[in-house]
Amino acid sequence: MKKKSFLLTTILIMTLSMFLAACGGGTEKEEGGAADGGDAGADKPQFISIVTGGTGGTYYPLGGAFASIISDETGIETNAETSGASAENMTTLKNGDAEIAFTQTDIASYAKDGKLMFEGNAVENVQAIGTLYPETIQIVTTAGAGITSVEDLKGKKVSIGAPGSGTAANAEQILEVHGMTLDDIEKQDLSFDESTAGIQDGTIDAAFVTAGTPTGAVEGLSATEDVVIVPIAQDKIDALIEKYPFYIQDEVPSGTYGLTDAVSTVAVSAMLAVKSDLSEDVVYDITKAIFENLDQVTHAKGKIISAEKAVKGTGIEIHPGAQKYYDEKGFK
């Protein structure tokens, strides 16, 4: 009986040892695979964050839609967060406090090159997923303000966007080609929502808003005020594009915000940037998820976003994972 009991105990111990060895071997394999650049899943994050912009802009609703798509399609829990937009977002990626960011192509270029607001503080750990849509520079005011040209902004209280946003650089460059500087206006650093609220209550006269049209904050203003979008003259547009080639000619269409005529202006492009240390497989899955589920994006800009256009004009290197997806689709 004792011999039988000893034999049974020995068998149980051997079985348990084999089980533990198998489990241990599996763990080593996963760890080794990740270290060797394999795709055993060890480098797939459980959670990622997308930094967007203010709630009154275009980044935030699009970011929310993208976060839902990524969560559903990849199994990575994804959250969209409000922020000060482009420039702040690039710094957030640099600091490792988010994985994906909305930004303007010009700001991404400044960040990688360490220019303008990034002088001495270049952002080297980012690459592009792709461009999304034109970001129209809208100089917003109301009929009662009496502002009909960029030159009329002189001496006025003008918001140039939230601190850290790319809108400030756009405002400075547009003023520059008109022979003006930020010293010629009473500069205010307000988010889009704060800007339109300030225009409505009379505490500011106008605001630069760089966002896809229609922009939610400006639409809200148009519900109670006769919105005016200040035009940029063709010769100034030409001068701006010549000096800063990342600009393109654009317009705010008639009917937008109740406008009776289209208004000439310029635009940069919105894009998605990503931390370069995310694996090729993860970024491939994210890119595929977004561009193959755009029918789930209810914002108007969803209709003009496409993978075919995404490879153009990013201003910075495309992440290998995103490039793999574009190569499969034959987009160059």
Side-chain angles (χ1 to χ4, degrees):
M1 191 73 177
K2 281 184 179 180
K3 192 180 285 187
K4 198 171 187 181
S5 176
F6 175 80
L7 182 60
L8 183 58
T9 302
T10 303
I11 291 170
L12 286 172
I13 290 171
M14 289 177 66
T15 303
L16 181 60
S17 298
M18 291 172 65
F19 175 77
L20 290 173
C23 290
T27 302
E28 287 172 7
K29 183 178 181 181
E30 283 189 5
E31 290 173 352
D36 295 335
D39 57 357
D43 59 352
K44 181 176 179 178
Q46 293 183 323
F47 175 84
I48 60 176
S49 179
I50 305 175
V51 281
T52 61
T55 56
T58 305
Y59 288 173
Y60 184 70
L62 277 181
F66 290 169
S68 295
I69 289 169
I70 294 168
S71 297
D72 292 343
E73 297 296 321
T74 71
I76 303 170
E77 185 181 348
T78 307
N79 184 50
E81 299 181 9
T82 59
S83 73
S86 296
E88 179 183 305
N89 290 351
M90 296 301 287
T91 300
T92 300
L93 290 188
K94 177 178 181 175
N95 294 339
D97 296 327
E99 289 70 38
I100 300 174
F102 281 76
T103 187
Q104 295 169 200
T105 50
D106 54 335
I107 301 303
S109 179
Y110 299 151
K112 286 286 283 188
D113 295 341
K115 294 181 177 178
L116 293 183
M117 69 283 286
F118 296 99
E119 188 172 353
N121 192 32
V123 181
E124 299 175 349
N125 64 328
V126 297
Q127 292 172 304
I129 288 179
T131 58
L132 300 172
Y133 59 87
E135 289 227 71
T136 308
I137 288 83
Q138 306 162 72
I139 307 173
V140 183
T141 186
T142 59
I147 299 170
T148 60
S149 69
V150 175
E151 289 85 355
D152 288 341
L153 296 174
K154 193 167 186 176
K156 298 292 197 299
K157 294 179 180 177
V158 182
S159 170
I160 62 169
S165 73
T167 305
N170 302 141
E172 190 168 7
Q173 289 157 359
I174 288 169
L175 291 174
E176 177 191 343
V177 298
H178 288 82
M180 300 164 64
T181 70
L182 294 176
D183 292 334
D184 291 310
I185 62 173
E186 291 189 40
K187 180 177 72 72
Q188 310 289 313
D189 302 298
L190 306 174
S191 70
F192 296 161
D193 283 328
E194 292 169 335
S195 293
T196 52
I199 291 172
Q200 187 170 24
D201 63 26
T203 56
I204 66 170
D205 302 299
F208 283 82
V209 173
T210 301
T213 57
T215 306
V218 186
E219 281 192 304
L221 179 65
S222 70
T224 58
E225 303 285 342
D226 292 329
V227 165
V228 171
I229 304 297
V230 179
I232 302 177
Q234 188 61 52
D235 63 326
K236 304 302 184 186
I237 290 175
D238 294 340
L240 190 65
I241 293 173
E242 183 177 356
K243 184 162 187 178
Y244 302 105
F246 45 73
Y247 283 106
I248 58 173
Q249 183 155 348
D250 198 12
E251 67 175 26
V252 181
S254 63
T256 309
Y257 316 131
L259 299 173
T260 55
D261 298 298
V263 178
S264 61
T265 185
V266 291
V268 290
S269 290
M271 66 178 288
L272 284 179
V274 63
K275 283 178 62 184
S276 53
D277 62 0
L278 278 185
S279 76
E280 180 176 323
D281 289 341
V282 168
V283 177
Y284 171 87
D285 289 343
I286 289 170
T287 306
K288 180 182 175 72
I290 291 172
F291 288 109
E292 295 192 359
N293 291 278
L294 289 169
D295 58 329
Q296 297 180 33
V297 178
T298 58
H299 192 281
K301 280 290 175 276
K303 294 182 175 61
I304 64 173
I305 297 171
S306 74
E308 186 172 5
K309 297 175 185 174
V311 295
K312 297 178 172 68
T314 58
I316 61 175
E317 181 185 14
I318 296 175
H319 190 286
Q323 190 63 58
K324 178 181 176 183
Y325 176 74
Y326 301 135
D327 288 344
E328 285 182 359
K329 294 296 182 180
F331 299 144
K332 299 178 186 275

